[in-house]
Amino acid sequence: MTVNVMLDLIQHPNISYYGMDVVMQKNFQIVIVEDDKDLCAGLCRALKDETRSIVSCENLKSAREQIFLTNPSLILLDINLPDGNGLDLVKEVRGKNLSYPIILLSANDTDSDVVKGLELGADDYVTKPFSLSVLRARVNTQLRKNEPIASKDLVSIGDYSFDFERMVFTACGEEIPLSKTEQRLLKMFVNNQGITLSRDDLIDRLWTDGEEYVDENALSVVVKRLRDKLNAKDYIKTVYGLGYMWVKDNE
């Protein structure tokens, strides 16, 4: 990014930058899309540290400009925004095969929106009002997942090819875009073929490492999304009352 472009961005009336003087030395960039200025300022203060630069946007228009201009590490996205619905941005990001982790900010009365957002490809959500410590834990979990998966193995199963190092996943030769959460879930499945993984264990390992409560419906949504994307109904089986299993070819 050139100096001129940086100056132009800082002058944008709907985008605020925190720590941009050292942004090139940061490990992560978090984009916060929230129109409540007081809440947004609190989120920026809570999430900023020496490893992160924070960019806040007040509406979808400025968020699109920022997200598609840069390469953010994570997007924290309010669903209800003055110029549209945040779920449209989720759909647009995933439609471009971009796998940035997305955490939704939802009001108490938008459970259906949360489910729809997860189905569209969001990775997690928090419900307003929320604890900043809970939000930080959720953000930290997603940023850890955003690090390269430490595996050099290319896993081939039937018509599937899963390259977890390069994050390239194909079915019948066609590349399938997967979110970070879907990648983590898939890796757990293929590393434990023929073994039933309990719902509690999957929830703990996918979202909170056992630290925070997560609605079990979120797991059902992600499993269904992964199964549908891969057309893997013959592989990803529901073990009723227990959890899920990736079935071996010979079973």
Side-chain angles (χ1 to χ4, degrees):
M1 181 179 292
T2 67
V3 173
N4 289 337
V5 171
M6 179 68 76
L7 291 175
D8 288 342
L9 287 172
I10 293 176
Q11 292 168 359
H12 194 294
N14 295 313
I15 303 178
S16 299
Y17 293 80
Y18 293 75
M20 294 303 288
D21 54 324
V22 291
V23 66
M24 298 307 291
Q25 300 174 13
K26 302 286 186 177
N27 295 328
F28 302 106
Q29 182 187 85
I30 298 175
V31 175
I32 299 175
V33 189
E34 170 60 64
D35 61 312
D36 183 322
K37 293 184 179 180
D38 291 338
L39 174 58
C40 190
L43 294 174
C44 292
R45 289 192 297 269
L47 296 177
K48 181 178 180 296
D49 64 23
E50 66 276 4
T51 69
R52 303 170 183 167
S53 60
I54 311 293
V55 180
S56 67
C57 306
E58 297 178 5
N59 53 47
L60 288 175
K61 182 177 183 296
S62 56
R64 287 187 179 97
E65 293 174 1
Q66 178 62 29
I67 290 168
F68 298 129
L69 176 66
T70 61
N71 187 34
S73 305
L74 181 141
I75 303 168
L76 192 60
L77 176 63
D78 189 17
I79 291 178
N80 297 311
L81 293 163
D83 58 342
N85 192 310
L87 300 184
D88 293 334
L89 183 59
V90 177
K91 185 176 182 180
E92 188 174 345
V93 168
R94 295 302 184 236
K96 294 179 180 293
N97 294 337
L98 301 174
S99 60
Y100 317 131
I102 299 175
I103 300 178
L104 298 175
L105 303 178
S106 72
N108 284 327
D109 58 350
T110 56
D111 286 349
S112 60
D113 283 342
V114 168
V115 172
K116 183 178 180 182
L118 292 171
E119 290 175 340
L120 287 172
D123 296 275
D124 200 356
Y125 69 94
V126 290
T127 302
K128 300 177 183 177
F130 50 80
S131 162
L132 287 177
S133 62
V134 170
L135 178 64
R136 279 195 294 267
R138 298 285 180 89
V139 168
N140 291 340
T141 297
Q142 292 299 328
L143 291 177
R144 286 197 299 271
K145 295 175 187 175
N146 203 26
E147 296 174 352
I149 300 173
S151 173
K152 295 184 178 181
D153 294 331
L154 178 64
V155 180
S156 296
I157 303 173
D159 294 325
Y160 299 109
S161 176
F162 305 138
D163 188 337
F164 289 98
E165 182 180 22
R166 296 174 55 236
M167 292 179 286
V168 176
F169 309 93
T170 62
C172 298
E174 179 182 354
E175 186 170 344
I176 309 296
L178 298 179
S179 71
K180 297 298 181 183
T181 302
E182 292 162 355
Q183 292 178 33
R184 297 271 293 188
L185 178 60
L186 177 61
K187 187 169 181 63
M188 282 187 276
F189 278 147
V190 299
N191 283 349
N192 296 278
Q193 296 178 53
I195 299 173
T196 298
L197 301 176
S198 72
R199 293 181 61 88
D200 288 343
D201 187 39
L202 288 171
I203 288 172
D204 287 345
R205 293 167 66 185
L206 279 175
W207 280 284
T208 63
D209 299 324
E211 297 174 358
E212 303 295 345
Y213 171 78
V214 175
D215 188 339
E216 286 194 7
N217 188 53
L219 175 62
S220 300
V221 169
V222 175
V223 171
K224 181 181 184 302
R225 199 170 66 209
L226 178 64
R227 183 189 283 138
D228 290 347
K229 281 187 174 182
L230 296 176
N231 192 23
K233 64 182 184 298
D234 292 333
Y235 284 95
I236 301 175
K237 294 293 187 181
T238 300
V239 183
Y240 291 100
L242 296 176
Y244 299 94
M245 175 195 296
W246 183 283
V247 178
K248 289 184 178 180
D249 280 325
N250 58 355
E251 292 186 354

